[in-house]
Amino acid sequence: MKTGMQKNRRSVPVRKSVPVPTGKPRWWIPESEATPEAVWHDRRRLLRSMGVYGALGASLPALVACGEDESQAAENNSQNNLGLSSEDPSLALYPAGRNEKYVLDRALTEERIATTYNNFYEFGSSKSIHKRAQRLQLRPWEVAIEGLVEKPQVLAIDDLFRQVAFEERLYRHRCVEAWAMAVPWTGFPFAQLVALAKPLESARYVRMTTLLDREMMPGQKAAWYPWPYVEGLTLEEATNELAFLATGIYGKPMPKQNGAPLRLVVPWKYGFKSIKSIVSFEFTAERPVSFWEEVQGAEYGFWANVNPEVPHPRWSQAQERMLGVEGKRETLLYNGYEPEVASLYAGLYESEGDRLYR
Ligand SMILES: Nc1nc2c(c(=O)[nH]1)N[C@H]1C(S)=C(S)[C@@H](COP(=O)(O)O)O[C@H]1N2
Ligand SMILES: [Mo]
């Protein structure tokens, strides 16, 4: 582990052509060549809001004020220490070509923030689990395709990667806790995995499971949670064009804290649906019970579609906070993906009503 990280640290390219502002934090890495202009400006705005260009402001975003020693966080947050291994066998698949169909209405979230402010209860319930998550071992990693399928199979992750077509997509992400981000995911459409699986006609849902390993994932020692983490989708949802199985972010393999080596991304649903570090896809006739649904079904239901008009029982969902950006935005119905997904729920609304969104 230690040697791997040291190797990474040495191999980080230094781009000398970009002027570095004075008073830069230690994690500052010039990236203007690689970053679209809008994002670059947004980064400057973020740095300014964090006091980088002036006196340290009182308006530090909450995420850097969550208990971690700041210089230690800076050290650990730099891009050379995100658990990306130069020996990752999937490295050659990056960067994948961007699918230009999926455009954003806002700037991308800064990589440093998206990779250091996480929800991954297997490593603890705080947002600062990125260091602890480095103990996750990514190889060997097997993915089971099971249940109501023509031929159940267990695939080594790199064999699975060879059978699908990688692309990059820019999606919004909306956590049920009312924070949001915008991320460039690399991966492949869920429909490609369903095609590989060949579900039987009796299959109506797909149930996904996160790795269960209490040593690697010490959060799983917390007995009051129903481990392992489970999520589910209808087959129609899983084969919707937006449903994506992500293997990387920001043009690189997925950091462990973001759910390596394979995680779901369903951007019209609250973030807890986007299950991380998946080891099983089981096709079922019965609707699966999700992890959070089992913990607290009245607050975290199966459907969990983003809807500004259906408040969480303990807070409003009308607005959201983009990580690293000051101020709030209006929450969008289906997180702005209504054209792609509204038809999935047209018939269901009559019978399920508000429950569709919980
Ligand atoms: N296995 C697992 N998957 C998970 C979670 C988790 O705790 N465990 N948290 C979920 C929640 S609440 C959110 S918002 C997203 C966060 O993803 P990110 O850390 O990559 O932003 O992961 C989701 N997937
Ligand atoms: Mo979330």
Side-chain angles (χ1 to χ4, degrees):
M1 189 64 152
K2 219 175 201 142
T3 36
M5 281 176 356
Q6 276 159 1
K7 195 175 292 168
N8 277 350
R9 190 165 294 143
R10 272 201 303 275
S11 69
V12 163
V14 178
R15 300 186 190 122
K16 292 206 176 95
S17 56
V18 181
V20 174
T22 47
K24 66 186 188 297
R26 272 188 289 159
W27 48 260
W28 199 91
I29 293 171
E31 220 183 11
S32 59
E33 305 140 83
T35 311
E37 199 168 49
V39 180
W40 175 241
H41 287 308
D42 201 67
R43 167 193 286 259
R44 292 180 69 87
R45 198 157 59 238
L46 170 87
L47 292 178
R48 213 177 300 122
S49 79
M50 293 173 73
V52 166
Y53 293 115
L56 195 70
S59 59
L60 279 177
L63 63 140
V64 294
C66 52
E68 239 175 312
D69 167 58
E70 209 197 320
S71 59
Q72 186 57 44
E75 176 75 8
N76 282 282
N77 293 353
S78 60
Q79 284 185 323
N80 56 356
N81 191 14
L82 293 172
L84 306 180
S85 162
S86 52
E87 284 106 60
D88 186 321
S90 70
L91 213 53
L93 299 166
Y94 298 85
R98 181 173 296 176
N99 183 335
E100 303 286 351
K101 179 167 181 197
Y102 303 100
V103 293
L104 294 174
D105 58 349
R106 59 195 77 182
L108 285 175
T109 299
E110 198 193 345
E111 178 176 356
R112 185 189 64 84
I113 297 177
T115 54
T116 56
Y117 185 94
N118 302 100
N119 269 337
F120 203 165
Y121 275 64
E122 284 82 344
F123 296 100
S125 58
S126 87
K127 303 292 185 239
S128 308
I129 52 78
H130 56 278
K131 278 176 273 175
R132 249 168 289 152
Q134 302 317 310
R135 67 163 80 189
L136 182 62
Q137 294 297 312
L138 300 183
R139 298 292 187 286
W141 192 281
E142 291 185 330
V143 175
I145 295 177
E146 52 197 336
L148 303 172
V149 294
E150 275 183 25
K151 190 171 148 282
Q153 50 185 319
V154 176
L155 289 163
I157 190 83
D158 298 298
D159 290 339
L160 172 61
F161 288 173
R162 269 189 280 279
Q163 295 182 57
V164 293
F166 276 42
E167 61 182 59
E168 182 181 67
R169 293 186 181 186
L170 312 185
Y171 278 167
R172 292 178 289 276
H173 172 95
R174 173 61 157 76
C175 177
V176 72
E177 299 161 331
W179 56 265
M181 57 182 185
V183 175
W185 304 100
T186 301
F188 54 94
F190 201 145
Q192 290 185 15
L193 184 128
V194 174
L196 273 178
K198 300 198 181 76
L200 303 177
E201 282 208 11
S202 51
R204 292 187 54 214
Y205 299 90
V206 56
R207 178 183 191 270
M208 290 148 279
T209 309
T210 296
L211 178 71
L212 179 65
D213 186 317
R214 290 188 174 82
E215 295 314 311
M216 270 195 247
M217 299 173 140
Q220 291 177 337
K221 289 177 180 163
W224 53 89
Y225 287 118
W227 307 109
Y229 200 99
V230 166
E231 260 306 339
L233 295 173
T234 66
L235 218 43
E236 290 70 35
E237 290 175 325
T239 51
N240 180 273
E241 61 166 295
L242 287 177
F244 201 60
L245 289 167
T247 62
I249 45 175
Y250 298 91
K252 290 169 276 193
M254 192 73 75
K256 294 175 180 182
Q257 60 271 30
N258 293 90
L262 187 67
R263 60 98 45 98
L264 177 65
V265 179
V266 277
W268 70 98
K269 292 179 178 286
Y270 289 119
F272 65 84
K273 295 294 293 184
S274 292
I275 180 173
K276 294 176 166 181
S277 305
I278 300 170
V279 293
S280 163
F281 295 87
E282 183 191 359
F283 292 78
T284 67
E286 301 292 320
R287 189 165 103 183
V289 178
S290 305
F291 176 85
W292 286 111
E293 189 181 10
E294 194 168 333
V295 172
Q296 187 57 279
E299 301 192 352
Y300 311 103
F302 175 80
W303 299 101
N305 293 318
V306 175
N307 188 336
E309 288 174 13
V310 179
H312 182 280
R314 290 182 281 128
W315 58 84
S316 166
Q317 294 291 21
Q319 294 192 313
E320 66 195 26
R321 177 175 68 85
M322 286 296 292
L323 296 183
V325 179
E326 285 186 75
K328 295 198 169 174
R329 296 183 73 109
E330 301 302 307
T331 301
L332 303 171
L333 179 62
Y334 298 114
N335 202 19
Y337 296 104
E338 194 176 358
E340 290 88 351
V341 301
S343 65
L344 290 171
Y345 309 105
L348 275 173
Y349 192 79
E350 321 266 281
S351 55
E352 298 243 357
D354 274 7
R355 277 160 37 78
L356 262 187
Y357 304 100
R358 295 232 175 89

